[in-house]
Amino acid sequence: MVVTGASRGIGRGIAEIFGRHGGRIVVAARGREGAELVAGGITEAGGEALAVACDVADPSQARALAEAAEQHFGGIDILCANAGIFPAAPLASMTPEQWDEVLDTNLKGGFLAVSACLPALRRSPYGRIVLTSSITGPVTGYPGWSHYGASKAGQLGFMRTAAIELAPCGITVNAVLPGNIATEGLAANGEAYLAEMASAIPLRRLGSAADIANAALFLASDEAAYITGQTLVVDGGQTLPEG
Ligand code: NAP
């Protein structure tokens, strides 16, 4: 399987949990060192993993990632397209470059990863694609993240048509929508943001990478074989309260 954005945070959690369940994991991120650390940890724990440096926003690097997975493990049956960035930028001062950076990574990068892995996924008797979207965009809004929200909502539009197109090949395409998950990326928003978020969540804590990884594990399992084009919100109830 291939996990993009797997050198830390949610992607790392996904790679590690699938590794513990016997998956043979390609750990992909732009930074080779971080990817190698995660792959090394999975191997030390008795699993199988390969680190690949890849910027998913670059079509040739996405293709090279899929080729490396095929060469090393003989195929791809599961893709977790998770790589994403969330730099805040108020709309009034947002530049087209800032918009493009977020859309290129989060939306186009997901498409490029799917498209690169598709030939191998088609050959697999067990094709699964799990996208990491977000509550931000599909369900909620948050100041500073209009570009991010657009990218995450866009992923769901992509998912629904991809699910229809790929169903005849037996490939399912679903998305996990995390709430606020305690990751290195989220920590960059500062203590005040984290505290505000935790207090607004009915389950009274930020989510963990494992909370999201378990949802991805389910969507990639035999038990989820008849589920496609669907979203699974994992947010501790954050989007439930009225008013
Ligand atoms: P994170 O801690 O910042 O980790 C991001 C991962 O993606 C890193 O491994 C990073 O490694 C990689 N990455 C970034 N840009 C990349 C690119 N162009 N190509 C390949 N890899 C790339 O972020 P996170 O919090 O785990 O978020 C992961 C995903 O969950 C994102 O899609 C995010 O939108 C989504 N999400 C997160 C939260 C949350 O609360 N944390 C909530 C909702 C949704 P390199 O920098 O080395 O490339």
mmCIF file of all heavy atoms in Angstrom, residues 47 74 84 103 125 146 158 167 181 222:
data_model
loop_
_atom_site.group_PDB
_atom_site.id
_atom_site.type_symbol
_atom_site.label_atom_id
_atom_site.label_comp_id
_atom_site.label_asym_id
_atom_site.label_seq_id
_atom_site.Cartn_x
_atom_site.Cartn_y
_atom_site.Cartn_z
ATOM 1 N N GLY A 47 7.229 -5.138 10.737
ATOM 2 C CA GLY A 47 6.486 -4.947 9.498
ATOM 3 C C GLY A 47 7.409 -4.766 8.304
ATOM 4 O O GLY A 47 8.629 -4.927 8.402
ATOM 5 N N GLY A 74 5.584 -5.344 -5.704
ATOM 6 C CA GLY A 74 4.904 -6.123 -6.731
ATOM 7 C C GLY A 74 3.495 -5.660 -7.059
ATOM 8 O O GLY A 74 2.782 -6.301 -7.821
ATOM 9 N N GLY A 84 -1.118 16.727 2.884
ATOM 10 C CA GLY A 84 -1.835 17.989 2.841
ATOM 11 C C GLY A 84 -1.128 19.045 3.669
ATOM 12 O O GLY A 84 -0.343 18.731 4.568
ATOM 13 N N LEU A 103 -4.003 24.376 -3.078
ATOM 14 C CA LEU A 103 -4.797 23.553 -4.013
ATOM 15 C C LEU A 103 -3.915 22.532 -4.733
ATOM 16 O O LEU A 103 -4.334 21.394 -4.966
ATOM 17 C CB LEU A 103 -5.526 24.453 -5.026
ATOM 18 C CG LEU A 103 -6.918 24.980 -4.637
ATOM 19 C CD1 LEU A 103 -7.962 23.869 -4.689
ATOM 20 C CD2 LEU A 103 -6.969 25.660 -3.293
ATOM 21 N N PRO A 125 -6.771 -7.352 -7.117
ATOM 22 C CA PRO A 125 -8.131 -7.871 -6.908
ATOM 23 C C PRO A 125 -8.832 -7.128 -5.764
ATOM 24 O O PRO A 125 -9.982 -7.407 -5.444
ATOM 25 C CB PRO A 125 -7.888 -9.344 -6.537
ATOM 26 C CG PRO A 125 -6.505 -9.386 -5.991
ATOM 27 C CD PRO A 125 -5.730 -8.268 -6.635
ATOM 28 N N SER A 146 -9.830 29.644 3.683
ATOM 29 C CA SER A 146 -10.757 29.535 2.548
ATOM 30 C C SER A 146 -10.154 28.663 1.441
ATOM 31 O O SER A 146 -10.854 27.872 0.804
ATOM 32 C CB SER A 146 -11.134 30.920 2.009
ATOM 33 O OG SER A 146 -9.995 31.645 1.615
ATOM 34 N N PHE A 158 -14.255 15.223 -6.226
ATOM 35 C CA PHE A 158 -13.385 14.291 -6.954
ATOM 36 C C PHE A 158 -13.739 12.849 -6.570
ATOM 37 O O PHE A 158 -13.905 11.972 -7.431
ATOM 38 C CB PHE A 158 -11.925 14.598 -6.609
ATOM 39 C CG PHE A 158 -10.955 13.554 -7.069
ATOM 40 C CD1 PHE A 158 -10.572 13.485 -8.399
ATOM 41 C CD2 PHE A 158 -10.419 12.639 -6.173
ATOM 42 C CE1 PHE A 158 -9.670 12.512 -8.828
ATOM 43 C CE2 PHE A 158 -9.525 11.669 -6.591
ATOM 44 C CZ PHE A 158 -9.149 11.605 -7.921
ATOM 45 N N ALA A 167 -15.733 1.954 -9.795
ATOM 46 C CA ALA A 167 -16.517 0.830 -9.257
ATOM 47 C C ALA A 167 -16.466 -0.400 -10.175
ATOM 48 O O ALA A 167 -16.321 -1.529 -9.681
ATOM 49 C CB ALA A 167 -17.957 1.260 -9.001
ATOM 50 N N ILE A 181 -7.046 17.178 15.001
ATOM 51 C CA ILE A 181 -6.226 16.032 15.374
ATOM 52 C C ILE A 181 -4.863 16.542 15.831
ATOM 53 O O ILE A 181 -4.242 17.362 15.128
ATOM 54 C CB ILE A 181 -6.059 15.077 14.157
ATOM 55 C CG1 ILE A 181 -7.429 14.745 13.542
ATOM 56 C CG2 ILE A 181 -5.307 13.820 14.572
ATOM 57 C CD1 ILE A 181 -8.455 14.143 14.487
ATOM 58 N N ASP A 222 -12.054 -5.609 4.395
ATOM 59 C CA ASP A 222 -13.083 -6.436 3.742
ATOM 60 C C ASP A 222 -14.474 -6.016 4.192
ATOM 61 O O ASP A 222 -15.428 -6.056 3.426
ATOM 62 C CB ASP A 222 -12.894 -7.908 4.140
ATOM 63 C CG ASP A 222 -11.799 -8.564 3.316
ATOM 64 O OD1 ASP A 222 -11.516 -8.073 2.204
ATOM 65 O OD2 ASP A 222 -11.220 -9.552 3.810
#
